[in-house]
Each structure stands twice: as structure tokens, then as C-alpha cells.
Amino acid sequence: MENFNVSSVSGVSMNKPIDTVMLRRVLASTSLSDKEKANFINSNRTEIKNLMQEKITSKEFAGMMQDRPLIRFRPFKNSYTKQGDKILLAKAVGIEPKEVNGYVQHMAEAVKVTSPTFTKDDNIEKVQSYVYRHGSKDQVVAFLGHELSNVENVLESLYKTLEDNSGGLADYFSRPVHRMDNITLSKLFNTIDKSLDRACRSGAISHSEMNSTSEWALVRIYEIQNNSKLIRAVNAYKALT
């Protein structure tokens, strides 16, 4: 992937129309700082807003988030990335950045109601990508329910979100700032268990698949929780040395 410097980014914004390919290349550039990328977004807010309203799909938005990886032990850097992500989400759903927190919480409350019945909504998918990076634990639980509400692909969705480096649940709890306490663990497993039961009752999966997957998911969640504890212990040790 081609790198950009500040002058070339400025040239793009002035002389070329911004498309989704160009925007992703800028965001993934290793020669620009997060602050410079945020400035680029701010400087071209109208073009990016129009572009996202017309062309950006939830899949493309998730790809943009993947192009902006978060680093486990770099909270200061991640805070800059979060600022950029907030601007991107605001442009993607047509709101102001200052409205993002309220909008995300509103969507989290909405999916709690709609999660028993799968709702294909482009904005929900975009917010879900954001929540799995920067949301609260309760918001993550809510969006997990939505992610698993499609009974036809509940197993695929579950396996993917519990994989490392998938942009899902496992990645959220891999960062020391996101501690998986026992209450959250219980909420996560309860959400998974209900989703599997719903899929079984609909005939999408068998009873044996439901039981075996439920057992696997419980073990996997414990692994993620224990790994999170280990990460925090290592982080605390580094702070003292």
C-alpha cells in the first residue's frame, strides 16, 4: 500500500475527488500521524460526508476500522485513533462528532429490543464496528446480541467474533483498558446461550450443535478473560520496571 506525506495528501484533497479507495489509503498510511489523518478528515469533511452517505457500506466502514489498528499497550496513541474513529462514524451516519456518544448509546438500547429478530441496518453495522473498539462493556454485550440474532449464520458469527484479530469481541477484551469482570462474563455467556437456543428452536442448528457450541463458547470466554488478566499483569509489571 502506497504511503503518503502531508503534501501529497493536500494535493489529493485539492486536485482529485476523494473516493473510498483514496480515503482508505490515507487512513492506512504509515507516513502520516493520527493527528494529520484527523486533520485531513476535518479539512475534507463535506466531501467525505457526501461520499459516505452515498457510497460507504457497513462492510467498507468495518474495513476502515481494520485499517486503523489499536495497540494493546499504547493508550495515548489509541486515544488519537478513537478521535479519528469518532469523526469517521459521525460522517458515516450523518451526524456531528459531538453527537456520537449519544447516538451510539441510543443504538445500543435499540438493538437490545430488536436483537431477538435480526435487523439488517447499515448504520447498526457501522456502530457495531465502532463499539467493538471503543464502546462500554454493556454496549458490547448489546451489540453481541444483535450480531448473533441472525439464526441462519449464528455459528459463523459466533466463531468469528470470538477469534483474535477479527475486529470482534475477542479483540475488544484483548486491550488492558477493557476488563472482563465476572458480571460481564455472565452477561456475554447468557447472550450467547440465548442466541444458540433461539437458533435451535428455529431449526437453524441442531440440539447437539447448540450444546457443543455453548460449551465451547463458555471455555473460550474464560480464555479471553484469563488472557485479559495476564495482559493487565504484564502491563502493571512494565509500569514498575
Side-chain angles (χ1 to χ4, degrees), residues 1 8 14 20 33 35 56 62 65 77 80 93 111 141-142 148 167 192 222 228 230:
M1 182 174 290
S8 66
M14 292 173 61
T20 58
S33 68
K35 184 176 181 180
I56 293 294
M65 297 294 98
K77 179 186 183 302
Y80 276 103
V93 300
V111 296
V141 172
L148 302 180
I192 292 171
Y222 270 110
S228 178
L230 177 61

Side-chain angles (χ1 to χ4, degrees), residues 9-26 40-52 54-56 64:
V9 169
S10 299
V12 168
S13 65
M14 292 173 61
N15 302 321
K16 295 182 180 180
I18 299 174
D19 57 19
T20 58
V21 174
M22 181 60 65
L23 181 58
R24 290 189 65 173
R25 288 168 69 191
V26 170
F40 172 79
I41 294 170
N42 276 324
S43 298
N44 298 279
R45 61 173 64 90
T46 301
E47 292 86 347
I48 293 173
K49 180 178 180 179
N50 293 335
L51 173 68
M52 290 190 171
E54 295 175 3
K55 299 180 180 179
I56 293 294
M64 288 183 179

Side-chain angles (χ1 to χ4, degrees), residues 58-59 61-70 72 125 128-133 140 144 147-148 155-174 216 220 224:
S58 59
K59 184 175 181 179
F61 183 80
M64 288 183 179
M65 297 294 98
Q66 289 288 84
D67 285 340
R68 296 164 58 79
L70 299 170
R72 285 179 177 175
E125 303 300 321
Q128 177 177 294
S129 297
Y130 179 87
V131 165
Y132 278 156
R133 289 162 68 85
V140 167
L144 176 65
E147 187 176 16
L148 302 180
L155 297 183
E156 178 184 352
S157 298
L158 179 61
Y159 289 132
K160 180 179 179 181
T161 199
L162 292 181
E163 285 181 357
D164 293 324
N165 304 315
S166 67
L169 186 72
D171 288 344
Y172 176 86
F173 287 107
S174 72
W216 171 83
R220 178 62 183 135
I224 294 171

Side-chain angles (χ1 to χ4, degrees), residues 172-217:
Y172 176 86
F173 287 107
S174 72
R175 295 168 58 201
V177 70
H178 297 147
R179 177 182 180 183
M180 187 194 293
D181 51 53
N182 290 335
I183 293 176
T184 301
L185 185 148
S186 178
K187 289 180 179 179
L188 291 172
F189 180 71
N190 186 51
T191 298
I192 292 171
D193 199 51
K194 285 183 177 179
S195 299
L196 292 172
D197 179 68
R198 187 165 55 246
C200 181
R201 285 187 283 105
S202 73
I205 63 175
S206 67
H207 194 268
S208 61
E209 285 178 315
M210 178 188 70
N211 288 336
S212 62
T213 304
S214 180
E215 291 172 358
W216 171 83

Side-chain angles (χ1 to χ4, degrees), residues 90-104:
K91 302 305 180 185
V93 300
I95 61 176
E96 294 297 320
K98 65 182 180 181
E99 299 174 309
V100 164
N101 290 344
Y103 183 82
V104 169

Side-chain angles (χ1 to χ4, degrees), residues 34 70-83 134 175-178 235:
D34 288 322
L70 299 170
I71 303 175
R72 285 179 177 175
F73 300 107
R74 296 286 297 276
F76 186 70
K77 179 186 183 302
N78 289 341
S79 68
Y80 276 103
T81 304
K82 181 178 180 179
Q83 292 175 30
H134 308 296
R175 295 168 58 201
V177 70
H178 297 147
N235 197 32

